[in-house]
Amino acid sequence: MSKITYLDYNATTPIDPNVLDVMLPYFKEKYANPSSKYRFAMDISADVEKARAVIANCLGVEHSDEIVFTGSATESVNHAIRGTLKTYPEKNHIITTVVEHPAVLDTCKDLERDGYKVTFLKVNNNGELDENELKTSITEHTAIISIMHANNETGVVFPIGKLSKLAKKVNPEVLFHTDATQSVGKINIDLNSDEYKDIDFLSMSGHKVYAPKGIGILFSRKGTRLRKFITGGHHEFNKRAGTLNVPLILGLAKAFELLKEELASGKQDKLAKLRTKIETEITKRIPYININGLKAQRLSNTTNISFDCIEGESILFQLDKMGFCISSGSACTSGSLEPSHVLRAMHVPITSAHSSLRISLGRFTKEEEVDDFISSLPTIISRLREISPFWDKKTNKPNDKAIQYSCQN
Ligand code: PLP
């Protein structure tokens, strides 16, 4: 394969070689089903429980049976939301936000079709929520509130600790779920701390944290009732049926250990410096750009930039030819020609929302790769603007048509 420059860590991460090493024996010699009752299997079951305890410890979870292994964050989200509604059939209201990942958004829209009432909280131009809107949306019928921790497209971080406290103040019975798929490993989360103690459920996926695809976790706080979502055997403390995916569980635990070390090592500050370098240099070298969510609290590794008057897809195509792996919007919605629902919710004009790039850095990003990107992008943008019907080549500015289009939205 020709050289690639991977700047799309929010889509997925490579498996850390140390994670792979831990998994390999469980693909080869340690293959027994951990539910079987002979020593060969019970030893593996003990390894799974040690892995669960490691993950619990990294998230500040007091009882390791509060962690259930799932197949993905999407499954965890579905379990938390749909399971809660099944547990409390007398309640029919869900609160979420307009900028959630489709895992949450589409689940809520599907439930809306089934007759549930869903409130979608709006965001401002910076991508931030209005706490007052949350407060006034909660009713006695609200079963669950699902608010993401960090946005996959812009990196904007929601103060979930504060929001969950606020929610419980209004209605102590309401349950609070957070989709922490993008924040785990980038922000220290201690679920036993005062800040996070009102979070009832948390979802995440292994492949965003240098573990393989096909494994996720659902944290559900002790004492919180939750009907089973995947029915079958009595696995996972009778909370999620299905034979345990032992190699991936062991790999995920190793990934969590590495994340803990990485968080303590100041890696996020290093990524923030690289991110700032990208934003400063691109701002200097390319006119008419907008950094989406710049004024909000953001993950250190993510930047989302709009380039006026051109199509994000054509920028990606040119970058791809040079080996750069970057997304426009999220990996789950790229492929659709609709502009990002997150940027539209932030009132980004349609012409800019169509031209956004999400650059996300991670463990193996090198400064040379960032420099390569910074030096390659300006030529691509100016070539595309030259052939854009919205760009005035003489003045090097958007033309009247561009202004008219963006104002229509
Ligand atoms: N939530 C967020 C914020 C995400 O970024 C993603 C994946 O991009 C998901 C949920 C879904 O994760 P998975 O596809 O691993 O289930």
Side-chain angles (χ1 to χ4, degrees):
M1 194 160 67
S2 51
K3 179 192 158 201
I4 63 155
T5 305
Y6 191 75
L7 300 175
D8 202 16
Y9 280 77
N10 286 10
T12 197
T13 56
I15 297 176
D16 191 288
N18 297 297
V19 169
L20 184 64
D21 286 347
V22 166
M23 290 193 301
L24 286 176
Y26 296 89
F27 281 115
K28 293 187 196 160
E29 59 270 25
K30 297 186 180 185
Y31 55 80
N33 186 329
S35 301
S36 300
K37 294 298 168 218
Y38 33 83
R39 269 176 301 146
F40 176 37
M42 287 192 292
D43 286 350
I44 292 170
S45 173
D47 291 347
V48 166
E49 291 320 309
K50 272 187 222 147
R52 198 189 306 275
V54 165
I55 296 171
N57 178 269
C58 290
L59 288 171
V61 170
E62 207 176 339
H63 313 278
S64 57
D65 60 356
E66 292 171 290
I67 301 286
V68 166
F69 294 111
T70 65
S72 63
T74 302
E75 182 195 320
S76 306
V77 163
N78 271 272
H79 190 169
I81 299 177
R82 294 182 192 272
T84 297
L85 294 171
K86 277 199 203 172
T87 312
Y88 299 96
E90 69 284 6
K91 301 197 178 180
N92 69 346
H93 182 219
I94 310 158
I95 300 176
T96 187
T97 81
V98 284
V99 293
E100 298 294 311
H101 184 273
V104 171
L105 217 48
D106 280 20
T107 301
C108 289
K109 286 182 182 162
D110 187 53
L111 287 161
E112 213 174 20
R113 284 190 288 273
D114 286 344
Y116 287 96
K117 204 170 159 268
V118 186
T119 303
F120 296 94
L121 302 174
K122 294 189 277 306
V123 293
N124 65 15
N125 291 8
N126 302 322
E128 296 155 325
L129 289 170
D130 174 358
E131 288 169 21
N132 209 38
E133 194 192 355
L134 169 64
K135 229 162 123 181
T136 54
S137 303
I138 301 169
T139 73
E140 61 190 294
H141 305 294
T142 311
I144 186 162
I145 299 173
S146 187
I147 297 184
M148 70 198 319
H149 195 186
N151 190 277
N152 44 302
E153 294 190 31
T154 58
V156 170
V157 176
F158 289 147
I160 47 158
K162 194 172 170 202
L163 298 174
S164 57
K165 277 191 203 324
L166 199 140
K168 300 266 177 178
K169 232 186 203 169
V170 180
N171 177 356
E173 283 180 5
V174 85
L175 294 175
F176 196 99
H177 167 252
T178 189
D179 172 4
T181 307
Q182 292 293 345
S183 61
V184 167
K186 297 170 191 148
I187 296 174
N188 189 31
I189 301 172
D190 178 353
L191 287 161
N192 206 22
S193 67
D194 189 51
E195 183 179 1
Y196 293 114
K197 74 174 179 11
D198 285 318
I199 308 267
D200 301 293
F201 306 115
L202 175 145
S203 298
M204 62 82 64
S205 244
H207 71 101
K208 309 286 185 183
V209 295
Y210 311 93
K213 295 156 189 69
I215 181 90
I217 64 165
L218 174 64
F219 158 78
S220 71
R221 198 173 286 283
K222 213 164 195 75
T224 309
R225 286 167 55 218
L226 183 66
R227 271 271 296 273
K228 216 163 161 177
F229 174 62
I230 294 189
T231 50
H234 288 248
H235 312 87
E236 294 292 271
F237 322 106
N238 203 21
K239 292 181 186 172
R240 192 261 192 189
T243 301
L244 274 67
N245 194 340
V246 177
L248 274 64
I249 290 171
L250 270 289
L252 185 61
K254 183 65 190 174
F256 264 91
E257 274 179 358
L258 297 174
L259 291 177
K260 195 172 176 183
E261 287 166 21
E262 193 176 61
L263 265 173
S265 77
K267 176 75 180 176
Q268 293 304 312
D269 295 338
K270 289 186 191 133
L271 291 180
K273 276 193 191 133
L274 290 181
R275 193 261 308 268
T276 305
K277 185 172 191 182
I278 295 176
E279 294 181 344
T280 319
E281 289 302 318
I282 296 295
T283 306
K284 259 196 249 164
R285 296 172 195 213
I286 307 177
Y288 293 97
I289 67 152
N290 186 48
I291 300 168
N292 300 304
L294 180 65
K295 292 190 187 134
Q297 195 201 329
R298 288 182 300 162
L299 294 174
S300 325
N301 78 316
T302 310
T303 182
N304 186 305
I305 312 178
S306 295
F307 301 85
D308 282 4
C309 304
I310 37 180
E311 276 285 325
E313 295 302 315
S314 28
I315 313 173
L316 287 186
F317 181 68
Q318 298 300 329
L319 285 169
D320 185 30
K321 284 208 288 193
M322 300 173 77
F324 290 103
C325 305
I326 287 169
S327 287
S328 66
S330 76
C332 300
T333 46
S334 55
S336 121
L337 287 177
E338 285 297 305
S340 144
H341 69 284
V342 176
L343 299 185
R344 294 297 286 138
M346 291 163 70
H347 310 112
V348 173
I350 200 154
T351 46
S352 303
H354 260 303
S355 71
S356 71
L357 295 187
R358 173 189 71 184
I359 299 121
S360 48
L361 316 176
R363 183 171 297 166
F364 305 111
T365 307
K366 297 188 192 75
E367 183 153 11
E368 302 88 84
E369 294 178 309
V370 163
D371 291 341
D372 248 8
F373 172 69
I374 291 169
S375 58
S376 304
L377 192 64
T379 320
I380 293 176
I381 300 295
S382 57
R383 272 205 217 121
L384 290 171
R385 278 180 173 164
E386 265 177 38
I387 53 166
S388 164
F390 297 119
W391 192 255
D392 185 339
K393 273 186 273 183
K394 281 196 206 113
T395 57
N396 221 16
K397 282 184 182 166
N399 61 25
D400 293 347
K401 244 194 275 172
I403 291 155
Q404 188 193 333
Y405 259 85
S406 67
C407 291
Q408 276 171 358
N409 297 280

